[in-house]
């Protein structure tokens, strides 16, 4: 009463004095209301309101004291240009409308406010304050409007708290430092807590909290743009934001929705800043979604938690372009199999999904798919995925499974970091990709995979896991790729047995083309039967560096035809052909039965202009498959032709070096083969039914046969001629082994230099052949035991030969020297082992000529051709008989090319 009486006395005494002054009511730095003092009869203050009694009006203007910052007086003209709607609980809302006579009509019945603006004035500002548990604003406008929310709390039990009609832009301005709360109810008849048929733009730095209990949080048939502010959709029975188009450049948006977080209809999404947090728990929903349009993200922070089955974090039927931003995506929903055709169509929980194309030019991506996210995908596209930059940390953990696809064919699915129905192209970026579930892949494409740059790190601990898998071709033109495998081989029931699926670094249905870059693949001992590079077609290596280390053992199994079979790890395996024309390749397989290079077709190393470097090692043991059939470690093995044309090839095996079921042709390169086994009778250096040496330097050391030409055992036993063929026409061939050279068929030498050393003791020999041995050119010096199975050259040889049989050993520390009577050197040879018998032929041997044979002596100067341990052929130097012994002098035949000398 005191305040009321004071104001009455004040106005009564001052009307004449202050008649020209105006009273002003301020809110948030603005003049909310102004009136000439002469037109104000009184101002009454009660617990809630300042009640203005205006001259000639029976109704009071009630303004909440809580919204009044101050009251001042002025003599200057005051132009009011802001509309105020103040909610007063269930009382009539306070309306301050300076445009009442300019086409803006606003009425309030309790807290239900209806406004119609036909003023033609653009961007009218409506300041909305106060609170009500059963209020609303329905605004029909012919122009864009600004709704300034200033600590507004409004719940509408029957509809939307804010409804804007007219198709114009609604700018929702959140007053700095204020918190504004809007909610509908379960009985609402509207589709959103904020509903409009025009664009919505949210700006300023205040806070807006929305609960959409009936359906959407914000609903419009046009676009939503967020420029600033903190917006929280605390609940949405359907979508958090439902619109036709979405733009965001700043602010913080948090959505917890039953359905989609942001549904932009069939219009585009453009995000260039701000933070978006979405939590979605329902099946088959999307955190950020557009239909038949594009998503472009240039910047921003995205924390997206999607736990519903088959749900997506970011989804578009159009192109998704990601130029930047920070993404934290968590997926935990399972695959959904929908009946379709003759089977099922799977839909997977996915981080970023486009039905067409994904382009990534930057950004930081952390995507985690838990063990419940069966078939989960990090990135998935119906078309091409192109990545030029960015940092990717993607982990998947769910196991794969079998299903029947829409064609009625048994199929499988597994978790994948990057999945495309077309091609995946990577030219930059930094990738850390891990999978722990069975049958998971890091990068998988129905088309090709092309890597030309970037750093790709893959860790796959799931059984049968793949690093890169392509139903087309895999091509490397750069980049640095590291793949770690630790999952086991899985046997899948098929036919009358099983079909094995292997953990693999690179797996392609088409070709693998490695032109440049670096690839490092490692498989632990747990990665049984692992593959480094595996292709159903050709593998072509023309450059770059490849380093493969596999430690997993091989094993036996029953194959699809019901037959006992075996599998083993292989660094390279192809169904058609391996071609190495450049690059640096290092492989090590330490598991049982492991293979270095394995082809069901051909293997070609080098070209006329291409000189690769290969260092292939197998250190594991063989294992018994059935009967007398073993799975042997081999550094090179092919069903078809093995050709070595050029390059530097180093092979170290605890079993076989090079094996071909068809033929081996060596025409160039520097080739070192060590096939050394601790198992008796194991360790073939080079083995094939047909072998042709025409160039290069090939140095073979084997624990069994150094060179073995064979089709296998035929009727008549191992000494029968199986018509296998060893042909030497050029190059340098250096061989040491039990049977250093063993042909179950024929040997023909027409050129080159062949240096051979067999064992000391029989029955193994330096040279062993079942058919003919024709010496028609070139040079050979061979040494071996005094086995009575050792044979002379064939009489059909066209070049003169010497077959020397000594009754005493030539020590490994000594040398054999043959010269003619005038002292001209024919050959000087130092053996690897102590030996007895020698085969020698050279174009320099003449008919009817006297020759001297020495054991021992001293050789100085000249050149050495042979093994690195010092045994081999010495030429171009000076031989001294000092310390030597003249073993025999003989005269060569005048007619026969054969000369047998015994001493």
């Amino acid at each position: 009463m005191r305040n009321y009486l004071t104001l009455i006395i004040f106005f009564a005494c001052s009307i004449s004095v202050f008649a020209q002054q105006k009273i002003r009511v301020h809110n948030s730095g603005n003049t909310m209301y102004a009136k000439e003092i002469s037109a104000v009869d009184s101002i009454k203050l009660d617990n809630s309101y300042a009640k203005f009694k205006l001259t000639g009006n029976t109704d009071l203007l009630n303004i909440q004291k809580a919204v009044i910052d101050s009251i001042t007086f002025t003599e200057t003209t005051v132009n009011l240009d802001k509309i105020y709607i103040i909610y007063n609980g269930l009382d009539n809302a306070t309306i301050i409308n300076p445009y009442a006579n300019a086409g803006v009509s606003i009425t309030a019945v309790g807290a239900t406010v209806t406004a119609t603006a036909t003023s033609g004035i653009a961007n009218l500002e409506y300041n909305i304050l106060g609170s009500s548990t059963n209020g609303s604003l329905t605004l029909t406008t012919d122009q864009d409007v600004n709704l300034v929310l200033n600590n507004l709390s409004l719940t509408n039990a029957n509809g939307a708290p804010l409804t804007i009609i007219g198709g114009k832009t609604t700018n929702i301005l959140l007053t700095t430092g204020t918190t504004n709360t809007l909610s509908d109810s379960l009985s609402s008849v509207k589709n959103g807590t904020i509903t409009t048929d025009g664009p919505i733009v949210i700006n300023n730095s205040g806070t807006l909290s929305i609960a959409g209990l009936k359906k959407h949080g914000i609903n419009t048939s046009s676009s939503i743009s967020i420029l600033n502010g903190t917006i929280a959709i605390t609940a949405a029975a359907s979508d958090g934001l439902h619109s036709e188009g979405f733009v965001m450049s700043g602010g913080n948006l948090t959505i917890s929705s039953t359905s989609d977080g942001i549904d932009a209809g069939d219009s585009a999404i453009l995000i260039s800043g701000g933070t978006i947090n979405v939590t979605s728990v329902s099946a088959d929903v999307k955190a950020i979604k557009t239909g038949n349009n594009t998503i472009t993200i240039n910047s921003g922070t995205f924390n997206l938690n999607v736990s519903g089955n088959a749900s997506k974090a970011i989804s578009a039927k159009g192109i998704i372009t990601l130029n930047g931003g920070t993404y934290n995506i968590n997926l935990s929903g399972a695959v959904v199999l929908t009946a379709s055709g003759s089977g099922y169509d799977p839909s997977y929980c996915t981080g970023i999904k486009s039905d067409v194309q994904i382009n990534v030019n930057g950004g930081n991506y952390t995507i985690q798919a838990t063990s419940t996210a069966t078939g989960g995908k990090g990135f998935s596209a119906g078309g091409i995925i192109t990545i030029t930059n960015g940092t990717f940390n993607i982990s998947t953990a769910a196991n794969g499974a079998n299903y029947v696809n829409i064609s009625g064919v048994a199929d499988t699915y597994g978790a994948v970091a990057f999945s495309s129905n077309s091609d995946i192209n990577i030219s930059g970026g930094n990738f850390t990709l891990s999978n722990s579930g069975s049958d998971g892949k890091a990068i998988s494409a129905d088309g090709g995979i092309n890597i030309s740059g970037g750093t790709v790190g893959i860790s796959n601990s799931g059984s049968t896991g793949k690093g890169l898998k392509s139903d087309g071709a895999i091509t490397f033109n750069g980049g640095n790729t590291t793949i770690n495998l630790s999952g086991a081989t899985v046997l899948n029931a098929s036919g009358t047995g099983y079909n094995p699926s292997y953990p693999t670094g690179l797996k392609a249905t088409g070709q693998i083309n490695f032109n440049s870059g670096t690839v490092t693949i490692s498989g632990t001992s747990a990665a049984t039967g692992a593959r480094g590079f595996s292709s159903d077609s050709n593998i072509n290596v023309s450059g770059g560096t490849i380093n493969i280390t596999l430690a997993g053992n091989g094993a036996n199994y029953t194959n699809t035809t019901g037959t006992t079979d075996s599998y083993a790890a292989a660094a390279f395996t192809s169904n058609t052909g391996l071609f190495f024309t450049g690059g640096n390749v290092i492989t090590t397989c330490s598991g049982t039965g492991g293979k270095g290079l394995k082809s069901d077709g051909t293997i070609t190393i080098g070209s006329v202009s291409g000189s690769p470097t290969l260092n292939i090692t197998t250190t594991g043991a063989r294992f018994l498959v059935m009967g007398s059939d073993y799975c042997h470690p081999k550094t090179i093995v092919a069903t078809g032709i093995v050709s070595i044309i050029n390059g530097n090839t180093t092979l170290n095996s605890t079993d076989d070096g090079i094996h071909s079921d068809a033929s081996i042709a060596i025409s160039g390169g520097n080739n070192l083969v060590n096939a050394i086994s601790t198992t008796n009778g194991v360790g073939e250096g080079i083995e094939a039914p047909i072998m042709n040496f025409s160039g290069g330097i090939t140095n073979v050391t084997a624990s069994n046969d150094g060179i073995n030409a064979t089709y296998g055992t035929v009727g008549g036993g191992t000494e029968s001629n199986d018509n296998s063929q060893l042909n030497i026409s050029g190059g340098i061939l250096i061989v040491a082994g039990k049977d250093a050279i063993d042909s179950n068929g024929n040997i023909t030498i027409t050129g080159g230099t062949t240096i051979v050393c067999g064992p000391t003791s029989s029955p193994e020999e330096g040279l062993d052949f079942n058919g003919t041995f024709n010496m028609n050119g070139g040079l050979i010096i061979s040494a071996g035991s005094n086995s009575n199975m050792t044979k002379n050259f064939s009489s059909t040889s066209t070049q003169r030969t010497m077959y020397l049989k000594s009754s005493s050993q030539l020590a490994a520390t000594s040398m054999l020297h043959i010269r003619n009577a005038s002292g001209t050197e024919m050959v000087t040879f130092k053996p690897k082992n102590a030996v007895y018998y020698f085969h020698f032929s050279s174009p320099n041997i003449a008919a009817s000529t006297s020759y001297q044979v020495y054991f021992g002596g001293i050789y100085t100067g000249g050149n050495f051709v042979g093994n690195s341990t010092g045994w081999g052929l010495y030429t171009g130097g000076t031989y001294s008989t000092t310390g030597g012994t003249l073993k025999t002098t003989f005269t060569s035949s005048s007619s026969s090319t054969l000369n047998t000398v015994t001493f």
Side-chain angles (χ1 to χ4, degrees):
M1 177 64 74
R2 180 178 301 169
N3 288 338
Y4 174 66
L5 291 174
T6 300
L7 288 171
I8 290 294
I9 295 169
F10 169 78
F11 280 106
C13 297
S14 60
I15 286 175
S16 60
V17 178
F18 301 105
Q20 302 304 314
Q21 284 203 359
K22 300 174 180 64
I23 186 170
R24 296 185 300 181
V25 180
H26 300 279
N27 171 267
S28 300
N30 298 315
T31 299
M32 179 169 59
Y33 178 72
K35 201 69 176 178
E36 293 83 359
I37 291 177
S38 60
V40 178
D41 291 344
S42 64
I43 302 175
K44 179 181 178 181
L45 303 180
D46 63 13
N47 290 334
S48 300
Y49 300 104
K51 299 186 174 185
F52 289 74
K53 175 64 173 67
L54 305 180
T55 302
N57 287 347
T58 58
D59 295 330
L60 297 175
L61 175 63
N62 298 327
I63 302 177
Q64 289 185 43
K65 293 191 297 181
V67 303
I68 298 174
D69 294 339
S70 62
I71 297 176
T72 63
F73 301 90
T74 182
E75 292 182 351
T76 61
T77 301
V78 178
N79 294 315
L80 298 178
D81 58 358
K82 296 173 174 45
I83 298 169
Y84 281 83
I85 300 171
I86 306 170
Y87 287 90
N88 304 313
L90 300 179
D91 294 344
N92 285 343
T94 299
I95 308 299
I96 299 174
N97 179 13
Y99 299 96
N101 298 319
V104 178
S105 171
I106 305 175
T107 60
V109 178
T112 300
V113 177
T114 303
T116 302
T118 58
S119 64
I121 302 172
N123 297 313
L124 283 175
E125 182 177 307
Y126 296 76
N127 288 265
I128 308 173
L129 305 84
S131 65
S132 177
T133 58
N134 190 18
S136 65
L137 168 63
T138 301
L139 170 62
T140 302
T141 177
D142 62 350
Q143 296 291 326
D144 297 345
V145 296
N146 296 327
L147 303 185
V148 179
L149 307 188
N150 190 344
N151 283 321
L152 173 67
S153 178
L154 196 59
T155 298
N156 187 352
N158 300 307
L162 298 181
T163 301
I164 297 89
I165 302 169
K168 302 301 180 182
T169 298
T170 300
N171 297 294
I172 299 176
L173 307 177
L174 307 176
T175 302
T176 301
T178 67
T179 298
N180 304 276
T181 304
L182 302 175
S183 177
D184 63 0
S185 68
L186 293 176
S187 59
S188 173
V189 296
K190 295 292 186 178
N191 287 331
T193 301
I194 298 176
T195 298
T196 177
D197 54 2
I200 295 175
V201 179
I202 301 176
N203 203 352
N204 290 358
S205 59
T207 297
L208 174 60
S209 177
I210 296 174
L213 303 182
K214 178 64 176 180
K215 199 167 185 182
H216 307 310
I218 300 177
N219 176 60
T220 176
S221 56
S222 187
S223 64
I224 295 175
S225 299
I226 298 177
L227 308 183
N228 201 356
T230 300
I231 302 98
I233 311 297
T234 59
S238 186
D239 301 337
L241 305 182
H242 187 87
S243 63
E244 282 295 328
F246 177 78
V247 175
M248 185 169 179
S249 60
N252 189 305
L253 173 63
T254 299
I255 299 174
S256 180
S257 60
T258 302
S259 189
D260 301 330
I262 299 170
D263 183 350
D266 284 323
S267 297
I269 293 176
L270 173 61
I271 301 172
S272 56
T275 298
I276 297 178
N277 309 295
V278 178
T279 300
S280 182
V281 298
S282 298
D284 197 25
V285 300
K286 290 81 181 173
I288 301 173
K289 165 195 171 184
T290 181
N292 298 314
N293 217 304
T294 62
I295 295 176
T296 302
I297 299 177
N298 298 318
S299 186
T301 299
F302 305 84
N303 300 304
L304 311 176
N305 294 290
V306 181
S307 58
N309 295 342
S311 291
K312 317 291 187 284
I314 299 175
S315 176
K317 292 183 179 179
I319 296 173
I320 295 178
T321 301
L322 307 173
N323 298 317
T326 299
Y327 304 77
N328 298 294
I329 299 174
N330 294 296
L331 310 171
S332 55
V335 64
V336 173
L337 298 175
T338 303
S340 178
S342 301
Y344 296 91
D345 184 16
S347 179
Y348 309 105
C349 198
T350 306
I352 299 172
K353 172 73 170 72
S354 168
D355 286 358
V356 286
Q357 184 172 330
I358 297 176
N359 302 315
V360 184
N361 302 311
N364 293 280
Y365 304 83
T366 300
I367 302 176
Q368 294 182 332
T370 68
S371 59
T372 59
T374 49
K377 310 287 186 283
F379 287 72
S380 178
I384 296 173
I385 296 177
T386 300
I387 300 171
T388 63
N389 204 351
T391 299
F392 306 86
N393 193 324
I394 302 176
S395 64
T396 56
N399 290 328
N402 301 319
Y403 76 104
V404 177
N405 65 27
I406 60 176
S407 301
V409 178
D411 208 338
T412 62
Y413 63 77
V416 183
F418 290 87
S419 175
S420 168
N421 292 347
S422 182
D423 297 340
I424 296 177
N425 303 316
I426 297 173
S427 60
N430 193 310
F431 301 77
T432 302
L433 312 177
S434 64
N435 173 71
S436 57
S438 63
D439 201 27
K441 293 96 180 170
I443 301 174
S444 177
D446 291 347
I449 297 174
N450 304 293
I451 297 178
S452 59
T455 299
V456 180
I458 296 170
S459 177
N460 201 328
S461 61
S463 55
T464 78
K466 310 293 188 291
L468 275 62
K469 180 184 180 298
S470 169
D471 288 341
I474 297 176
T475 301
F476 281 85
N477 287 306
N480 189 322
T481 301
T482 301
I483 302 173
N484 297 309
L485 305 172
S486 56
T489 290
V490 170
L491 299 176
N492 300 306
S494 178
T496 55
Y498 297 91
N499 186 24
S501 178
Y502 309 106
T504 307
L506 275 62
K507 171 62 180 173
T509 302
Q511 295 188 358
I512 298 177
N513 301 304
F514 195 86
N515 303 315
S516 64
T518 300
V519 168
T520 302
I521 300 173
S522 65
T524 68
S525 59
T528 53
R531 269 69 172 139
F533 283 42
S534 177
S535 172
D536 295 345
S537 184
N538 293 340
I539 297 176
N540 305 300
V541 178
S542 63
T545 299
I546 299 170
N547 195 321
I548 301 174
T549 304
L550 304 177
N553 287 332
N556 296 326
Y557 73 103
T558 301
N559 65 26
T560 57
T561 63
T563 304
T564 300
D565 207 337
S566 65
Y567 64 79
F572 288 83
T573 177
S574 166
N575 289 354
T576 58
L578 300 176
F579 300 88
F580 298 87
T581 58
N584 190 338
V585 177
I586 301 172
T587 75
T588 299
C589 293
S590 58
T592 55
K595 311 295 190 290
L597 312 182
K598 178 180 181 294
S599 173
D600 290 340
T602 64
I603 296 176
T604 300
I605 298 173
S607 65
V608 173
S609 59
S611 180
T613 297
L614 278 66
N615 194 323
I616 314 298
T617 301
T618 58
T619 62
R622 66 176 182 168
F623 62 90
L624 182 64
V625 179
M626 62 182 297
S628 60
D629 182 24
Y630 286 84
C631 180
H632 292 268
K634 300 178 190 290
T635 48
I636 295 179
V637 57
T639 302
I641 300 171
V642 175
S643 300
I644 300 178
I645 301 168
N646 202 347
N648 295 280
T649 301
T650 301
L651 309 177
N652 290 288
S653 176
T654 49
D655 204 306
D656 294 344
I658 304 175
H659 175 89
S660 169
D661 291 345
S663 64
I664 295 172
I666 298 179
S667 59
N670 290 286
N671 312 299
L672 177 63
V673 181
N674 293 306
I676 308 298
S677 174
T678 58
T679 302
N680 187 43
V682 174
E684 307 286 329
I686 302 177
E687 183 177 61
I690 305 294
M691 281 186 274
N692 298 295
F693 292 85
S694 60
I697 300 173
T698 302
N699 197 322
V700 181
T701 302
S703 54
N704 199 38
D705 296 341
I707 302 290
N708 186 24
T710 181
Y711 279 105
T713 302
V714 296
T718 58
E719 296 305 310
S720 298
N721 184 352
D722 66 0
N723 290 313
S724 54
Q725 186 69 44
L726 169 61
N727 302 308
I728 302 172
S729 61
I732 298 173
L733 178 60
I734 305 159
V735 186
K738 278 192 175 177
D739 279 348
I741 292 181
D742 185 353
S743 173
N744 288 351
N746 307 305
I747 301 174
T748 302
I749 299 178
T750 59
T753 299
T754 305
I755 306 167
V756 180
C757 190
T760 301
S761 302
S762 62
E764 310 300 341
E765 309 164 70
L767 284 171
D768 182 11
F769 53 94
N770 295 351
T772 61
F773 179 11
N774 287 315
M775 189 68 196
N776 299 331
L779 182 148
I780 184 171
I781 176 64
S782 171
S785 71
N786 55 358
S787 171
N788 58 14
M789 299 175 64
T790 304
K791 298 187 288 288
N792 198 353
F793 297 92
S794 296
S795 60
T796 49
S797 297
T798 61
Q799 180 172 285
R800 298 185 182 278
T801 64
M802 296 181 186
Y803 176 36
L804 309 179
K805 303 170 67 174
S806 172
S807 60
S808 60
Q809 283 186 2
L810 171 65
T813 56
S814 188
M815 63 178 59
L816 167 72
H817 176 75
I818 302 174
R819 64 184 183 182
N820 62 21
S822 61
T824 302
E825 180 182 46
M826 294 293 103
V827 66
T828 301
F829 170 76
K830 182 179 183 297
K832 179 178 184 288
N833 311 303
V835 289
Y836 294 89
Y837 290 1
F838 304 89
H839 291 80
F840 170 62
S841 180
S842 163
N844 296 326
I845 299 176
S848 305
T849 302
S850 177
Y851 292 98
Q852 300 170 345
V853 178
Y854 284 87
F855 279 9
I858 299 172
Y859 201 88
T860 56
N863 302 303
F864 169 74
V865 179
N867 191 272
S868 60
T869 58
W871 75 268
L873 180 65
Y874 291 81
T875 62
T878 301
Y879 176 77
S880 169
T881 60
T882 301
T885 301
L886 177 64
K887 302 297 290 184
T888 187
T889 300
F890 70 95
T891 300
S892 60
S893 171
S894 61
S895 58
S896 175
T897 58
L898 304 184
N899 294 279
T900 301
V901 182
T902 302
F903 50 91

